[in-house]
């Protein structure tokens, strides 16, 4: 049985029995078999000594029980690690940052407290998954649309606290950015409400999020300053219709103009999440560059002239972008017309193709076979098909992956540079490059481009060592280029945070001062995103 | 008359006791629909925009068994209870671990009863 660091077996046993008094025996998990359920299924250290593993888990049913758990942990100096739905796959799963922590599994706190279809918000507890919230809305026929990440079993709270993202209009895709009001329990067991929730009897907790004074909500995300027990989220009113249209531009060099125009439309709220592609290269994101591209790249990164020739030889346009419009029919059709006019004015040879047009919400039977659930705010797990066994991967489907999203300025040049850096780094490690000159960005956050690396993880130490070396090198290379990686799993959090070193790590030092004041014993999620309690802050000035 | 009432009462008691003690395939179906159907369902989108095809579990098992066994888990008649438990609690390739706060021990027994209901 794993123990928390510097805690004796006796002390741990006493703590566990006090946890049991707080939540009931049934909800303290301490057998090896039960604790193993909190392993990160996609761990990049699977079965190695560095794999992050819990010592136990405890599952409270309400805020009072969370307070009691925190007080017990504080008294005994036991590190605890809160999770909401614990499905943070690729970014650590349900496993703690510090091995030996007790996971506080909030899955049982699963009440949807309110959904207001006139003011368009939801107030939920941590264990409420996107599936749960969606079903709640469906059962009541409420006129709102969710913005969901691909996997529907995660939660608005867990996802947003790791800065997770979705697929609809820009204000909603940023899940933390669309939250309004939270309640959390401090390391001392006190309950705090932010924003207007701090005023007893406030009627606008989910309507106005600044309250009065500093907005401290940001301290609860990618950090370890408290355990969030409630959060409000702004929702989009259910749009009457959904329409898509695809713009293609003929030449490699047209990407620049395409990007600028897409940014114009996004920042004017005239389109939902744009989706870039490359017809010439047949697709954008893939585990492996298509064969002709591999040939094209044999002698290094091709010149623009060679790329233009390649495009002409393919006889297909170099780039495409699908625009997605949400709203009344008159409006979405007009938006698409306006977009066509603007692209036509700016890129010679731009062409346009109408896509889907659906009245919303789609009936359940039509949704079941609809492959575009995420852009419609409908939770699903279909994304896992991309990594599952298929005719090509028959013998070796992925066992997991560690994602690395490089955040770039919205410039054509930055996208090509990032693709090139990733392609060269993959080659250096003998991994077939997944990136190429036609790699396209993803726009989860409307103001930044993402070029993504999906690094495989395995239940095999030798293969994981290779993946780790690649992943770690990618973090370094991103930083050398000035690109932030927005999120990572515990194995790389210290490395990633070390890149935010402006003025002798002033930001981290500030966070550490807060940590020392708010959680002096450092019991909540020690080490999460590089924030260690004073006693564990070795190796840093 | 009295006999019938007593019998009915006994029957109710018996069902209650039964419900507690032995796994229920009916409830197993409910749990399966919530936790497994999104990957192992029978009704799949034709193709996914990101590549990959349809539902992850169903399409993967289609490839794995090449039609020798049904791709849809609910149509299988050969699944051993221990195997189901090992996969659900330990994960298998992209299918991750399921915790007891998600699918409890008794719910997993129900799922197993459901998936093995037609076993030979
Ligand atoms: C195939 C695939 C596709 C994915 N697609 C997406 C996607 O489209 N968008 C996306 O955002 N992610 C995506 N992910 C990543 C991840 O699975 C999701 O972000 C998922 O929602 C995170 O898990 P969760 O919601 O259960 O959060 P949790 O695991 O519950 O929480 C995440 C972390 O936040 C902290 N935390 C959670 N709850 C609390 C709390 N109450 N108080 C304090 N701290 C807390 C903890 O440190 C925890 O580890 C994908 C993963 C895979 C494998």
């Amino acid at each position: 049985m794993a123990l928390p660091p510097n805690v004796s077996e006796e002390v741990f046993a006493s703590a566990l029995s006090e946890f049991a008094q707080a939540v009931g025996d049934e909800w303290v998990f301490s057998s090896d078999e039960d604790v193993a359920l909190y392993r990160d299924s996609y761990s990049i250290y699977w079965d190695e000594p560095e794999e992050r593993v819990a010592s136990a888990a405890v599952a409270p049913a309400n805020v009072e029980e969370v307070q009691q758990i925190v007080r017990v942990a504080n008294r005994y100096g036991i590190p605890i690690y809160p999770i909401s739905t614990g499905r943070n796959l690729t970014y650590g799963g349900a496993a703690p940052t510090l091995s030996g922590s007790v996971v506080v599994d909030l899955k049982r706190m699963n009440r949807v407290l309110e959904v207001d279809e006139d003011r368009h918000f939801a107030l939920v507890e941590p264990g409420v998954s996107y599936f749960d919230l969606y079903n709640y809305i469906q059962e009541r026929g409420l006129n709102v649309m969710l913005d969901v990440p691909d996997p529907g079993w995660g939660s608005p709270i867990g996802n947003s606290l790791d800065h997770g993202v979705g697929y609809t209009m820009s204000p909603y895709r940023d899940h933390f950015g669309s939250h309004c009001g939270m309640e959390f329990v401090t390391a001392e067991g006190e309950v705090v409400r932010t924003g207007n929730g701090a005023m007893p009897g406030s009627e606008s907790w989910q309507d106005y999020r600044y309250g009065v004074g500093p907005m401290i909500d940001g301290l609860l995300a990618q950090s370890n300053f408290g355990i969030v027990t409630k959060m409000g989220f702004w929702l989009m009113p259910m749009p009457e219709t959904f329409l898509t249209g695809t713009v293609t531009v003929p030449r490699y060099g047209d990407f620049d103009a395409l990007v600028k125009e897409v940014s114009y439309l996004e920042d004017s709220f005239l389109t939902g999440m744009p989706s870039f592609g490359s017809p010439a290269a047949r697709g954008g994101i893939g585990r492996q560059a298509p064969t002709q591209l591999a040939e094209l790249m044999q002698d290094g990164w091709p010149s623009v002239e060679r790329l233009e020739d390649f495009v002409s030889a393919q006889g297909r346009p170099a780039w495409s972008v699908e625009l997605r419009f949400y709203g009344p029919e008159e409006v979405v059709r007009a938006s698409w017309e306006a977009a066509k006019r603007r692209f036509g004015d700016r890129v010679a040879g731009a062409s346009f193709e109408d896509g889907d047009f659906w009245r919303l919400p789609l009936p359940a039977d039509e949704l079941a076979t609809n492959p575009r659930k995420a852009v419609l705010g409908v939770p699903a797990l279909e994304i896992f098909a991309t990594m599952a066994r298929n005719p090509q991967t028959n013998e070796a489907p992925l066992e997991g992956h560690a994602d690395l999203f490089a955040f770039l300025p919205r410039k054509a040049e930055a996208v090509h540079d990032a693709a090139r850096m990733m392609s060269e780094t993959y080659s250096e490690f003998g991994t077939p490059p997944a990136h190429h000159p036609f790699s396209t960005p993803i726009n989860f956050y409307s103001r930044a481009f993402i070029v993504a690396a999906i690094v495989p993880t395995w239940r095999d130490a030798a293969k994981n060592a290779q993946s780790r070396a690649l992943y770690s090198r990618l973090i370094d290379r991103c930083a050398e280029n000035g690109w932030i990686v927005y999120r990572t799993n515990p194995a790389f959090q210290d490395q990633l945070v070390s890149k935010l070193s402006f003025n002798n790590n002033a930001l981290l030092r500030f966070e550490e001062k807060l940590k020392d004041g708010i959680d002096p014993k450092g019991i909540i999620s020690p080490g999460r995103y590089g924030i260690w309690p004073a006693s564990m802050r070795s190796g840093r000035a | 008359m009295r006999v019938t009432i007593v019998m009915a009462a006994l029957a109710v008691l018996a069902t209650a006791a039964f419900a507690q003690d032995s796994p229920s395939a009916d409830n197993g179906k409910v749990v399966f629909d919530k936790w497994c159907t999104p990957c192992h369902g029978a009704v799949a989108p034709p193709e996914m925009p990101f590549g990959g095809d349809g539902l992850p579990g169903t399409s993967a098992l289609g490839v794995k068994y090449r039609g020798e066994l049904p791709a849809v888990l609910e149509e299988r008649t050969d699944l051993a209870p221990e195997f189901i438990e090992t996969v659900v609690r330990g994960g298998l390739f992209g299918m991750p671990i399921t915790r007891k706060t998600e699918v409890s021990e008794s719910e997993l027994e129900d799922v197993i009863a459901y998936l093995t209901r037609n076993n030979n």
Side-chain angles (χ1 to χ4, degrees):
Chain A
M1 177 165 117
L3 285 172
N6 307 318
V7 173
S8 72
E9 223 165 294
E10 296 71 46
V11 168
F12 193 46
S14 312
L16 287 181
S17 83
E18 289 202 36
F19 286 144
Q21 277 165 30
V23 301
D25 284 337
E26 193 190 344
W27 300 110
V28 175
F29 300 102
S30 57
S31 71
D32 287 348
E33 192 186 315
D34 285 353
V35 175
L37 301 176
Y38 291 85
R39 291 177 77 173
D40 172 10
S41 303
Y42 295 0
S43 173
I44 201 159
Y45 276 114
W46 185 265
D47 259 352
E48 294 182 65
E50 296 88 341
E51 183 187 343
R52 273 54 172 177
V53 289
S55 55
V58 43
N62 53 49
V63 182
E64 293 72 31
E65 292 183 6
V66 174
Q67 290 176 276
Q68 290 180 53
I69 290 168
V70 167
R71 291 195 182 114
V72 173
N74 220 326
R75 190 146 17 90
Y76 289 98
I78 309 275
I80 53 179
Y81 189 83
I83 58 170
S84 289
T85 34
R87 290 282 173 178
N88 205 9
L89 297 160
T90 99
Y91 301 114
T97 306
L98 174 70
S99 274
S101 302
V102 173
V103 172
V104 180
D105 180 347
L106 303 171
K107 182 66 196 165
R108 292 176 65 219
M109 292 175 63
N110 59 2
R111 287 178 307 157
V112 175
L113 298 168
E114 194 176 355
V115 175
D116 190 308
E117 64 168 342
D118 300 317
R119 283 143 68 212
H120 312 124
F121 68 77
L123 178 66
V124 295
E125 291 187 331
V128 173
S129 70
Y130 288 100
F131 281 124
D132 296 336
L133 184 53
Y134 180 78
N135 291 339
Y136 180 99
I137 289 167
Q138 290 315 105
E139 281 157 17
R140 290 162 183 75
L142 302 175
N143 200 35
V144 287
M145 184 188 256
L146 294 180
D147 186 286
V148 300
D150 269 308
W153 50 18
S155 45
I157 295 187
N159 180 279
S160 63
L161 291 181
D162 209 10
H163 293 163
V165 287
Y167 286 89
T168 68
M169 291 294 291
S170 57
Y172 304 101
R173 301 210 295 273
D174 169 358
H175 293 163
F176 189 77
S178 64
H179 96 273
C180 188
M182 61 164 67
E183 177 189 271
F184 65 92
V185 174
T186 67
E188 281 158 352
E190 206 164 37
V191 180
V192 178
R193 287 188 176 179
T194 68
N196 282 11
M199 178 191 274
S202 159
E203 293 191 342
S204 54
W205 193 16
Q206 271 61 61
D207 304 286
Y208 182 67
R209 57 186 175 181
Y210 300 133
V212 178
M215 185 194 187
I216 64 164
D217 303 44
L219 289 176
L220 277 294
Q222 292 200 340
S223 65
N224 47 22
F225 294 107
I227 300 185
V228 176
T229 45
K230 292 183 184 67
M231 250 169 113
F233 293 92
W234 287 333
L235 306 175
M236 176 150 75
M238 180 59 75
E240 290 177 17
T241 70
F242 173 76
L243 177 133
T244 66
T246 297
V247 182
T248 56
V249 293
R251 286 167 301 274
Y252 189 79
D254 291 334
F255 192 52
D256 184 50
L258 187 72
V259 161
K260 286 181 178 145
E261 185 51 28
V262 168
S263 298
Y264 177 92
L265 294 174
E266 262 258 269
D267 297 353
S268 312
F269 304 107
L270 286 172
T271 176
M273 183 168 166
S275 175
F276 290 96
S278 168
R282 291 212 185 283
I285 315 154
R287 266 196 240 157
Q288 216 164 310
T291 348
Q292 314 107 299
L293 282 178
E295 284 163 18
L296 182 69
M297 288 162 64
Q298 250 164 13
D299 319 315
W301 201 256
S303 65
V304 174
E305 292 69 41
R306 280 197 69 197
L307 291 167
E308 295 292 6
D309 289 346
F310 174 83
V311 171
S312 313
Q314 301 302 311
R316 291 187 299 273
W319 305 101
S320 64
V321 67
E322 183 191 77
L323 302 174
R324 300 161 179 163
F325 305 95
Y326 300 83
E329 180 172 359
E330 309 88 300
V331 176
V332 295
R333 293 205 186 280
S335 296
W336 176 219
E337 287 309 314
K340 287 198 270 195
R341 176 179 55 72
R342 289 186 54 94
F343 280 108
D345 287 348
R346 284 163 182 78
V347 193
S351 65
F352 309 99
E353 198 183 327
D354 294 344
D356 298 316
F357 175 74
W358 295 322
R359 288 185 197 288
L360 302 183
L362 284 179
D365 56 332
E366 280 179 41
L367 270 176
T369 52
N370 189 306
R372 317 199 60 182
K373 296 184 180 67
V375 299
L376 299 174
V378 177
L381 294 173
E382 288 155 15
I383 189 71
F384 286 85
T386 58
M387 62 179 290
R389 198 186 292 268
N390 63 50
Q392 285 85 48
T393 63
N394 191 15
E395 295 314 319
L398 289 191
E399 289 179 295
H401 48 105
D403 295 0
L404 180 145
F405 285 7
F407 272 48
L408 317 170
R410 288 176 294 174
K411 291 176 173 174
E413 197 188 353
V415 173
H416 302 327
D417 288 349
R420 179 171 186 171
M421 178 281 279
M422 288 190 180
S423 170
E424 289 172 357
T425 311
Y426 271 60
S427 300
E428 198 182 303
F429 283 85
T431 311
H435 302 87
H436 48 75
F438 296 89
S439 289
T440 49
I442 319 176
N443 260 67
F444 281 128
Y445 278 90
S446 63
R447 294 283 172 157
F449 274 167
I450 292 164
V451 170
I454 313 291
V455 177
T457 63
W458 309 96
R459 295 194 175 184
D460 175 305
K463 285 162 132 182
N464 274 343
Q466 263 197 317
S467 288
R468 285 197 300 271
L470 170 61
Y471 195 103
S472 169
R473 183 64 62 87
L474 286 170
I475 294 182
D476 286 343
R477 291 268 162 85
C478 283
E480 287 159 17
N481 284 282
W483 305 323
I484 189 82
V485 172
Y486 93 124
R487 184 177 177 189
T488 193
N489 71 58
F492 304 103
Q493 286 174 3
D494 286 319
Q495 183 193 353
L496 178 57
V497 166
S498 76
K499 306 296 181 191
L500 284 78
S501 57
F502 172 77
N503 191 18
N504 186 24
N505 306 298
L507 179 60
L508 183 59
R509 287 186 289 112
F510 183 82
E511 291 162 356
E512 287 170 347
K513 278 186 203 149
L514 287 175
K515 183 72 178 168
D516 294 345
I518 296 170
D519 178 11
K521 285 198 187 170
I523 56 159
I524 299 182
S525 308
R528 183 158 173 75
Y529 284 95
I531 308 170
W532 291 98
S535 61
M536 301 182 195
R537 215 171 282 155
S538 57
R540 273 192 17 74
Chain B
M1 183 62 183
R2 176 171 295 176
V3 176
T4 337
I5 293 170
V6 172
M7 293 282 283
L10 280 175
V12 169
L13 279 176
T15 347
F18 185 79
Q20 268 176 14
D21 292 340
S22 57
S24 146
D26 287 347
N27 188 49
K29 164 78 178 149
V30 174
V31 179
F32 188 90
D33 280 347
K34 175 165 185 194
W35 284 99
C36 320
T37 299
C39 288
H40 286 287
V43 185
E47 65 181 68
M48 297 301 296
F50 276 71
D53 125 78
L55 298 176
T58 306
S59 76
L61 294 177
V63 173
K64 180 171 178 183
Y65 295 115
R66 299 168 194 283
E68 281 160 25
L69 290 171
V72 175
L73 217 46
E74 289 163 278
E75 292 169 11
R76 295 272 289 271
T77 55
D78 66 309
L79 288 166
E82 307 73 44
F83 177 59
I84 300 171
E85 186 174 347
T86 310
V87 173
V88 171
R89 296 299 186 207
L92 184 66
F93 292 105
M95 176 180 156
I97 294 166
T98 305
R99 310 191 305 276
K100 291 187 181 172
T101 48
E102 299 174 321
V103 174
S104 70
E105 256 166 75
S106 79
E107 285 171 334
L108 181 54
E109 283 170 19
D110 294 347
V111 168
I112 290 172
Y114 173 60
L115 289 178
T116 55
R117 71 200 180 287
N118 296 324
N119 273 13
N120 303 318

